Amino acid sequence: MIEFIALFMGISIWLYCLLGGADFGAGILELFTPKAMQKEQRKVVNKALSSVWEVNHIWLILALVICFNAFPKVWAQIAITFHIPLTIMLMGIVCRGCAFTFRHYDAYKDESQIYYNRFFTLSSLLTPFSLGLVAGGLILGRINPAATSFNTAYIAPWFNLFSFTLAIFLCILFTYLASVYLVGETSDQKLKSFFIFRAKRWMTASIVVGGAVFITGWFSHSDLFQRFLTSPVSLFCVGLTTLLLIPGWIALNERAIWIPRVIASGQFTLIVLGWYNVEYPYLIPPSPQFGYPGLTLYDAAASGAVLNSLALALIIGSLLIFPSIFYLFKVFKVRT
């Protein structure tokens, strides 16, 4: 039962990053778009996001609900240690949602659009960056529940070179996904060429910064690189992700739509699977320097009654949510 619920939480995080991450990536992409093309790109992004952007947050809500119900000790530790980047992340989500609503649905297109656009793009960058800081802090394993200073307890776990590098890597991956997805959202050949060009740029950047994640982990005394090297499953995921770069690049050159989407999604999925595999069964890895043993799925699980009720709710909810979302995407994405 514990593994079943943890699987649901893992799938929710993966779907949030895969779908919601691309939404954030579209905003980041706009930050790096020449002014002459921003207006046209904005139309494509608004059209692509307007029907699904709110739905993608379902996965974040679901992951959080599962975490604080099924693994309350994990939720409490993460919410306490990382309350600063989590607060920034939540503020980013709210600002971004408000800015998108006003810039897309406001009947008056006046100078206020400038501010809406700035809020939208900056919060699109800030939110996944904060998420990356939390992920980096968790992977690095510097949580110290017995810390007596503010810096050791609430700053040092995430304010470090490794977490910042991972946060940049996450933003790059999201922007890469967005660039690939947007290729199929426009019939304008000039704009399509622009998205293809950007997708290849972000793909290249992901290779460089992905390598930097392992290097900074090494200098931060993290064993992340060794754990990937000694895990056949994670090593396979990294190897296959790298090999898929070639067909992904070729498919982009051929201006294909669905093949690059499938490949980019597959690459992101493999990265997440590789990470899950090296972390299992820990939800919070140990911090040997502080004598903290970490929390596994089994250490942090709630009582059997809670898990059984939650599992039943997840099964019933899935029967409602998945067909509904499939139908929504079919209506707004496949037919257009």
Side-chain angles (χ1 to χ4, degrees):
M1 187 60 70
I2 294 174
E3 292 87 350
F4 175 75
I5 291 175
L7 178 64
F8 257 94
M9 188 167 71
I11 291 173
S12 300
I13 295 171
W14 166 64
L15 285 173
Y16 180 66
C17 291
L18 189 65
L19 301 174
D23 287 0
F24 291 115
I28 299 172
L29 186 64
E30 196 173 316
L31 272 175
F32 297 93
T33 300
K35 278 191 176 180
M37 299 191 69
Q38 282 184 355
K39 188 176 179 182
E40 293 305 313
Q41 180 186 315
R42 205 168 289 142
K43 288 181 183 176
V44 177
V45 171
N46 287 347
K47 182 185 174 186
L49 265 62
S50 59
S51 55
V52 298
W53 69 279
E54 202 167 6
V55 174
N56 292 333
H57 288 295
I58 284 177
W59 307 116
L60 177 63
I61 295 167
L62 185 58
L64 295 180
V65 169
I66 292 173
C67 188
F68 69 66
N69 277 290
F71 309 105
K73 293 179 183 176
V74 172
W75 170 254
Q77 191 61 62
I78 291 175
I80 291 171
T81 303
F82 300 105
H83 72 275
I84 295 175
L86 284 175
T87 302
I88 296 172
M89 179 183 163
L90 291 175
M91 289 173 65
I93 291 173
V94 173
C95 287
R96 184 176 181 276
C98 293
F100 179 76
T101 301
F102 282 115
R103 85 171 192 167
H104 184 54
Y105 296 104
D106 193 350
Y108 296 98
K109 304 297 181 186
D110 52 17
E111 290 184 356
S112 58
Q113 288 288 323
I114 297 173
Y115 300 103
Y116 299 150
N117 291 331
R118 285 179 183 169
F119 268 100
F120 177 74
T121 52
L122 291 176
S123 54
S124 292
L125 175 65
L126 192 63
T127 305
F129 189 82
S130 302
L131 178 62
L133 291 179
V134 175
L138 281 172
I139 294 171
L140 197 55
R142 288 186 179 172
I143 292 178
N144 181 10
T148 54
S149 74
F150 185 85
N151 178 61
T152 309
Y154 308 120
I155 304 293
W158 56 270
F159 196 85
N160 49 68
L161 181 60
F162 175 77
S163 296
F164 274 74
T165 308
L166 187 72
I168 294 171
F169 181 56
L170 193 64
C171 291
I172 289 173
L173 286 180
F174 287 174
T175 314
Y176 168 54
L177 286 174
S179 303
V180 172
Y181 292 171
L182 287 172
V183 172
E185 297 289 341
T186 178
S187 56
D188 185 311
Q189 293 304 311
K190 184 180 177 183
L191 207 51
K192 195 183 284 283
S193 299
F194 172 75
F195 288 136
I196 291 172
F197 174 73
R198 289 295 183 183
K200 290 194 286 189
R201 281 282 187 92
W202 290 109
M203 182 195 290
T204 306
S206 70
I207 299 169
V208 175
V209 181
V213 169
F214 286 113
I215 294 171
T216 53
W218 177 276
F219 283 107
S220 302
H221 307 292
S222 167
D223 61 350
L224 179 67
F225 186 56
Q226 290 91 331
R227 281 186 284 156
F228 265 88
L229 277 182
T230 54
S231 167
V233 174
S234 299
L235 204 57
F236 171 78
C237 289
V238 172
L240 188 55
T241 302
T242 307
L243 288 175
L244 285 173
L245 290 169
I246 299 171
W249 190 282
I250 294 172
L252 284 170
N253 280 339
E254 293 178 350
R255 307 174 80 83
I257 294 174
W258 282 103
I259 293 177
R261 286 179 174 180
V262 171
I263 290 175
S265 303
Q267 288 174 305
F268 187 83
T269 303
L270 287 167
I271 292 171
V272 173
L273 279 177
W275 173 47
Y276 284 175
N277 185 63
V278 297
E279 297 295 340
Y280 182 82
Y282 284 97
L283 292 175
I284 297 181
S287 305
Q289 66 270 44
F290 300 123
Y292 177 58
L295 285 172
T296 67
L297 295 173
Y298 311 101
D299 298 331
S303 66
V306 172
L307 296 179
N308 290 336
S309 301
L310 182 59
L312 182 62
L314 289 172
I315 292 171
I316 295 173
S318 299
L319 295 176
L320 297 172
I321 291 174
F322 283 106
S324 302
I325 292 179
F326 174 78
Y327 185 66
L328 183 142
F329 273 84
K330 183 181 177 184
V331 170
F332 289 100
K333 290 297 178 186
V334 177
R335 291 183 180 177
T336 56

